[in-house]
Amino acid sequence: MSQAMGSASGLLSWWDEEFFKMEKVIMDQRFILTVGSMNGLNLRVRIGNIYVHNVDSEGDALWETLRGIFSEENVPWCIGANFNVVRYAEKRIGVESKKKPMVEFAEFIEDCGFTDLPMTRGKYT
C-alpha cells in the first residue's frame, strides 16, 4: 500500500498469488508498480497502479521518473491509472484544457510506446 499524499487516500494493489507471482515492487506516493510472472503462462509482466494529482507542477518530474522505470527491461506493461490529464482537448468537456500538461502527457505515452486504449460506454473513463 502506498501512503496518502495530502488529502488523497493512497493506493492499494492486490493480486491472486495463484495467478500472479510478484518478484519486485516499486512504490511511491503516486504509484505502485509490480514485476512478476503469470503462473502457468510462462509470461513475465509488469503491472502498474498510478494516480497523478491534478497539479501541473508534478507532471514533468513524474513523467521522467516513470520513463526511467518503464525503460528498465523489455517486459510488457499493463497500467491502470488516473492521470488527471488528457491527450486531446476535445476529451475535456466543459473544463478548460491546459496545453502544456496535455503535450507532456502525449510525449510520455509516445516515449514509453504505450497504446492508449479507447474507453467506451462509460460516463467516466
Side-chain angles (χ1 to χ4, degrees):
M1 181 169 150
S2 173
Q3 296 298 312
M5 183 177 202
S7 62
S9 298
L11 293 168
L12 176 67
S13 293
W14 74 94
W15 51 89
D16 182 343
E17 292 180 353
E18 291 182 25
F19 180 72
F20 180 77
K21 180 181 178 190
M22 197 243 328
E23 299 169 13
K24 177 170 87 170
V25 65
I26 304 165
M27 197 172 347
D28 181 272
Q29 289 180 320
R30 298 162 295 189
F31 56 81
I32 301 172
L33 308 172
T34 58
V35 180
S37 56
M38 297 174 84
N39 296 331
L41 297 177
N42 194 27
L43 176 66
R44 283 189 77 225
V45 295
R46 299 182 288 181
I47 300 172
N49 178 359
I50 303 171
Y51 178 80
V52 180
H53 297 274
N54 199 4
V55 178
D56 293 343
S57 61
E58 285 188 358
D60 286 341
L62 178 60
W63 303 144
E64 198 56 39
T65 297
L66 291 173
R67 274 185 189 97
I69 293 168
F70 293 153
S71 66
E72 286 178 359
E73 53 186 300
N74 191 20
V75 175
W77 275 103
C78 179
I79 304 293
N82 182 348
F83 288 109
N84 273 315
V85 66
V86 296
R87 292 174 69 187
Y88 309 109
E90 57 270 15
K91 300 251 180 170
R92 295 294 296 259
I93 300 169
V95 177
E96 179 185 336
S97 296
K98 298 178 181 177
K99 186 158 178 71
K100 186 176 185 281
M102 288 174 25
V103 169
E104 291 169 349
F105 184 53
E107 289 173 351
F108 165 72
I109 291 170
E110 176 96 10
D111 292 349
C112 292
F114 290 151
T115 300
D116 185 10
L117 298 176
M119 304 297 280
T120 59
R121 296 189 180 187
K123 186 172 182 179
Y124 303 101
T125 57

